[in-house]
Amino acid sequence: MKRRAIISVSDKTGIVTFAQGLVELGFELISTGGTFKVLDEANIPVKYVSEVTGFPEVLGGRVKTLHPLIHGGILARDIVEHRQQMEQNGIGFIDLVVVNLYPFRETISKPGVSFEEAIENIDVGGPTMVRAAAKNHGRVTVLVNPKSYEEVLNVLRETGTVSAGMRKRLAAEAFAHTAEYDRLIAGYLERQLEPVGGFPRTLRLTAQKVQELRYGENPQQKAAFYINSEAALGSLARGKQLQGKELSYNNWVDMEAAWKLAREFDSCAAAIIKHTNPCGAALGNTPLEAYKSALASDPVSAYGGIIALNRVVDGPTAEAIKECFYEVVVAPDFSPESQDILSSKKNLRLFAVGRGENDRVTPRLMLKSVDGGYLVQEVDRGTTPIDEWEFITEQKPTENDLKALDFAWRVVKHVKSNAIVVTDHRQTLGVGAGQMNRVGSVKIAVEQAGEKTKGAYLASDAFFPFPDSIESAAQAGIRAIIQPGGSIHDPEVIEAANRLNIIMVFTHRRHFQH
């Protein structure tokens, strides 16, 4: 009995070659709509689905494969009772189902897409065939991914049949395909009902494994990297590694921290990260200037760190980077000259994030797992603009002071709490991160900055609960402090700043990062 395959695909990658291979193996092909047209124009023998069902496509193509002669052929098991019923009703077995679905994700991603257009791109017949074939994978092979075409053809040529194990694997992939499709639709519809910024009633997480990593934070922990199927071009996950060793779990964590800090600025910026904290961050007129200033902030800690630049890495910058040991360099892209220069550092990973329409967009929500559940919060986007700051001391900041404080405030947002940053106008001088009390963070940042604290600027991610940190800053020669404010002891803190002749600014926005 001749084997039959039904083919109906939105993504037509490789479908002509695959269909030709099936015909050469003796398969009879059934197809629909655009897929039929592609195969017919390629002179591949194929039957239109209406030839099989004896019923035309109706309702603008909404109904074509939803018919007993199709679904009976897919769902039938090779048992006596089913064979008898199929013979009585003129149903033939369908052995192979090749289907992928209407481009719903691509449709809702288009600017200005209407609700009506989105609804029209919800596939009904496709998922029904996929699920039917996946349910009956004991007999039927289902394919939803063009990457599997060659593998299946090779197996059919070598053995004449697809093994039970492979059919089961392909069925699991098919159910994952329809589950992700339904997740997208449900999420889209829920967003039409919920207020902007609301949290979804059901948190649906779908991500594809890209690779297994060597290990997690420690060698005894296994790890893998997954990509969110909705990640936009210009996001870190959609980037491309150009050279170097495989990325590790800790590399990814530090790359995220570095990229977020570099992207905080519209001006040319560089950040050098160790253990998710910046050991150096700076602005510059060129990538080289920004990088050199960031390195000068703490050249000892920078060893073995992660660099991020928000501009394309050019030749001069690559020459400077080449002189030190780093794990990864992250940037929008690398010039051919810079790649040639850095190619001699075989283990150095170069990671080009690329650009897209949404290259400045971050996810709206962020997740953290806890025992048996998830914490979900909005991403801490942006920060308080200068025109909303409150100048609460007798001495007021100049325009130059405001620019320096803005730089310090944007950097401290990316330091682990309790966070203190000491800067000049364009460069970090000292960073105090992750201490159990704010006084300890001030002490570390001031000591690291050394003599450069004279006339420098200090930023704190949260309020100062007591005047002691202000007194330490004054002893070091700090000119101005930026902090959220909000402590019950604010009057005492302000009084200390006035007494010690320090400028202080309140932003009324906290940037804790636990």
Side-chain angles (χ1 to χ4, degrees):
M1 182 170 50
K2 197 165 191 175
R3 291 178 292 183
R4 294 196 305 168
I6 186 163
I7 305 176
S8 181
V9 291
S10 173
D11 178 0
K12 296 177 176 57
T13 303
I15 198 60
V16 170
T17 301
F18 182 62
Q20 184 62 54
L22 291 177
V23 170
E24 290 169 1
L25 289 164
F27 277 82
E28 178 184 284
L29 306 187
I30 306 165
S31 193
T32 64
T35 308
F36 173 86
K37 183 179 179 183
V38 167
L39 299 181
D40 187 54
E41 289 176 352
N43 296 317
I44 294 173
V46 57
K47 283 186 176 181
Y48 200 73
V49 68
S50 295
E51 293 182 60
V52 177
T53 64
F55 199 90
E57 282 190 22
V58 293
L59 308 180
R62 284 188 168 197
V63 178
K64 44 186 179 280
T65 59
L66 296 170
H67 193 282
L69 292 180
I70 299 298
H71 285 279
I74 297 171
L75 283 166
R77 295 168 59 197
D78 193 7
I79 58 177
V80 172
E81 182 182 358
H82 284 195
R83 282 186 172 278
Q84 289 174 345
Q85 291 179 15
M86 292 177 74
E87 188 174 342
Q88 290 167 5
N89 293 281
I91 301 171
F93 283 109
I94 293 175
D95 307 279
L96 181 63
V97 173
V98 187
V99 173
N100 51 59
L101 310 176
Y102 290 174
F104 187 77
R105 178 189 289 107
E106 292 78 5
T107 299
I108 62 175
S109 297
K110 292 189 299 187
V113 64
S114 68
F115 180 75
E116 291 72 20
E117 184 181 355
I119 294 302
E120 276 306 305
N121 275 276
I122 296 175
D123 203 329
V124 175
T128 307
M129 286 195 291
V130 169
R131 288 176 60 84
K135 173 178 179 175
N136 203 28
H137 67 268
R139 183 185 64 79
V140 179
T141 301
V142 57
L143 287 169
V144 295
N145 190 341
K147 292 180 180 178
S148 300
Y149 293 168
E150 185 176 0
E151 179 188 14
V152 169
L153 276 182
N154 288 338
V155 166
L156 287 170
R157 286 165 180 154
E158 291 171 10
T159 67
T161 187
V162 179
S163 70
M166 183 181 288
R167 291 197 304 273
K168 184 180 290 186
R169 172 168 60 82
L170 293 170
E173 185 177 11
F175 278 121
H177 186 60
T178 57
E180 165 65 359
Y181 196 72
D182 286 341
R183 184 192 71 84
L184 282 169
I185 295 167
Y188 174 78
L189 291 174
E190 284 179 355
R191 287 194 294 274
Q192 312 306 305
L193 300 171
E194 295 171 348
V196 175
F199 291 91
R201 296 183 187 89
T202 302
L203 189 63
R204 299 178 181 87
L205 304 177
T206 305
Q208 300 297 318
K209 186 168 75 172
V210 175
Q211 65 181 119
E212 292 193 8
L213 305 175
R214 287 179 294 164
Y215 51 83
E217 285 184 286
N218 301 290
Q220 69 271 18
Q221 295 170 268
K222 294 182 179 179
F225 173 64
Y226 289 76
I227 187 170
N228 183 337
S229 57
E230 296 181 63
L233 291 175
S235 59
L236 196 65
R238 294 283 184 195
K240 181 180 180 182
Q241 186 175 345
L242 303 180
Q243 75 163 49
K245 295 188 297 185
E246 222 174 61
L247 290 165
S248 71
Y249 180 94
N250 290 336
N251 288 155
W252 274 107
V253 173
D254 285 339
M255 285 163 58
E256 164 77 355
W259 182 239
K260 283 169 66 177
L261 175 50
R263 204 172 54 164
E264 183 72 44
F265 300 95
D266 292 320
S267 303
C268 181
I272 305 176
I273 296 290
K274 283 290 283 293
H275 307 299
T276 73
N277 281 302
C279 52
L283 303 178
N285 295 319
T286 65
L288 176 61
E289 183 183 329
Y291 162 70
K292 282 187 170 181
S293 294
L295 176 60
S297 300
D298 186 356
V300 174
S301 298
Y303 180 86
I306 306 281
I307 302 173
L309 295 115
N310 64 0
R311 297 290 191 274
V312 173
V313 176
D314 56 18
T317 310
E319 288 284 6
I321 289 172
K322 184 180 175 183
E323 298 304 310
C324 301
F325 169 68
Y326 297 107
E327 292 283 351
V328 187
V329 183
V330 184
D333 208 348
F334 295 77
S335 72
E337 181 187 5
S338 72
Q339 291 185 59
D340 184 58
I341 291 166
L342 294 172
S343 63
S344 62
K345 311 232 359 149
K346 300 297 183 185
N347 291 332
L348 175 64
R349 305 159 178 93
L350 303 185
F351 195 86
V353 179
R355 293 192 181 276
E357 292 180 4
N358 300 314
D359 65 337
R360 292 281 297 183
V361 175
T362 56
R364 184 175 68 85
L365 301 178
M366 58 186 295
L367 282 68
K368 184 179 180 68
S369 62
V370 296
D371 188 11
Y374 298 95
L375 295 171
V376 182
Q377 68 171 345
E378 293 180 327
V379 170
D380 185 12
R381 296 184 190 224
T383 192
T384 312
I386 293 174
D387 60 8
E388 294 180 17
W389 293 357
E390 183 182 4
F391 307 141
I392 43 82
T393 49
E394 294 168 1
Q395 189 176 355
K396 307 303 179 186
T398 66
E399 285 299 315
N400 282 339
D401 291 330
L402 292 176
K403 290 178 182 177
L405 289 169
D406 183 61
F407 172 71
W409 185 237
R410 290 177 183 277
V411 173
V412 81
K413 173 186 172 184
H414 298 271
V415 180
K416 293 289 187 181
S417 301
N418 286 312
I420 297 291
V421 170
V422 175
T423 76
D424 60 16
H425 289 78
R426 292 160 69 86
Q427 176 191 40
T428 55
L429 306 174
V431 178
Q435 299 305 300
M436 285 64 72
N437 65 75
R438 202 154 294 275
V439 176
S441 289
V442 171
K443 182 179 179 182
I444 291 170
V446 165
E447 286 182 352
Q448 186 184 26
E451 291 300 316
K452 294 179 181 178
T453 55
K454 306 299 181 184
Y457 302 85
L458 185 148
S460 173
D461 66 340
F463 62 65
F464 291 102
F466 302 104
D468 48 5
S469 292
I470 311 305
E471 292 163 357
S472 296
Q475 289 173 8
I478 294 294
R479 172 176 170 78
I481 293 173
I482 185 167
Q483 59 135 321
S487 168
I488 60 172
H489 295 290
D490 275 351
E492 298 169 42
V493 171
I494 295 169
E495 187 279 327
N498 284 327
R499 174 168 45 85
L500 297 165
N501 202 31
I502 289 181
I503 301 165
M504 187 177 290
V505 170
F506 280 3
T507 64
H508 300 294
R509 180 170 179 176
R510 190 180 73 183
H511 283 304
F512 263 164
Q513 187 177 183
H514 284 294

